[in-house]
Amino acid sequence: MKLSDLELDGLLKRLHLANARRLWRDLVLRAEKEQWGFRDFLAVLVAEEVAHRQQTRVQRLSRRALFPFLKTVDDFDFTYQSTVRLSLLGSALSPDFITEGRSVILAGKPGRGKTHLAVAIAYRAIQNGFDALFVTAAELIDDLSAAFRDGRLAEALTRYTHPGVLVVDEVGYLTYGTDAANMLFHVVNDRHKRKRSIVFTTNKPLSAWGAVLHDDDLAQAIVDRVLERGRLLRLDGPSMRTKHLGLDDPTLAEAPSTQVVRISGKGWSEFPEPTRSVTISAGGGPLGQYFHPAIRVFEKGDPAAMTAKACES
């Protein structure tokens, strides 16, 4: 059976092998030049098609995940971390993290790389064949609160319960409504029952989530479900945004200043400390022991000897 180039293109199009349609002519020339066998030619053609589809799928799911930026774990600098190492993230980067419904809470001060690692974990899940969604805690809570008021909460929940991994960023950064714990619990509880993974980032200790979400009991229930098949990782070190300024370096703490701060702007204090002693006589009795440099003392016997007259300052 001999097909023309046009007929072969038509067959590949019917099979939706778009990349194979683009490559097969060049591969034929290469195969003839390098004397490939039929099996080798077919293997290369199929491998190229699979690789192209994988790349296209990763790009499509990455756009759909709504990442604020695209970062991988290879981009993260662990040099400044004393508590988190790449080995600790190994399980979160494997396919088992998704299939077993594991979760992780990344905690730490701002700028420590929590969101970077959360995006990297979700992106690796996409590379492993799963889908993901990135959302801030404020966006999730506001969206579900509005849906609840409109009577479509069940419909809105699907967006957050369906993806293979859900990243909830910045828990505790903003002020939420009084129903925050209720809305977040719906998501966490549903994903917990379905064994769906969640990645949280937060700048608050877990003990403070009750105050953040306005409900201590529901906050505890949320944390309990997340950590049943999850773990808490605390990031330390300097802020990645301001480390060039050395603001987190304890050795650069400012020494206390020894300079006298003047408030009035005068060259000397209005009520000075005693500086030197002088006896001012008036009829043989001392009138005082201390005087300011701007006070002129008159000689004994002078009509004004009983007083001290202030000079012009």
Side-chain angles (χ1 to χ4, degrees), residues 217-289:
D217 294 335
L218 278 181
Q220 184 176 355
I222 290 170
V223 172
D224 184 68
R225 283 162 172 75
V226 172
L227 294 183
E228 180 182 355
R229 293 188 297 268
R231 63 191 306 181
L232 171 66
L233 295 179
R234 301 185 185 277
L235 282 73
D236 60 3
S239 169
M240 296 296 101
R241 300 186 185 97
T242 59
K243 69 176 186 295
H244 62 287
L245 300 177
L247 301 180
D248 299 297
D249 189 347
T251 64
L252 298 181
E254 295 185 1
S257 176
T258 58
Q259 183 179 359
V260 177
V261 179
R262 300 191 183 279
I263 300 177
S264 66
K266 296 181 180 180
W268 43 270
S269 174
E270 185 176 358
F271 304 103
E273 293 293 326
T275 55
R276 65 190 182 104
S277 176
V278 66
T279 300
I280 305 177
S281 299
L287 293 178
Q289 289 185 317

Side-chain angles (χ1 to χ4, degrees), residues 119-187:
V119 170
I121 292 171
Y123 182 66
R124 179 60 64 88
I126 290 175
Q127 292 177 313
N128 289 332
F130 305 94
D131 59 342
L133 177 64
F134 180 98
V135 65
T136 66
E139 291 170 344
L140 182 150
I141 291 169
D142 289 346
D143 183 32
L144 293 182
S145 295
F148 177 77
R149 291 191 295 270
D150 295 340
R152 52 181 185 84
L153 178 60
E155 176 187 350
L157 275 172
T158 305
R159 180 182 181 224
Y160 304 108
T161 58
H162 176 74
V165 58
L166 175 68
V167 177
V168 181
D169 194 36
E170 298 180 343
V171 176
Y173 279 75
L174 300 176
T175 301
Y176 312 122
T178 55
D179 60 347
N182 189 28
M183 297 299 103
L184 187 57
F185 178 78
H186 278 295
V187 175

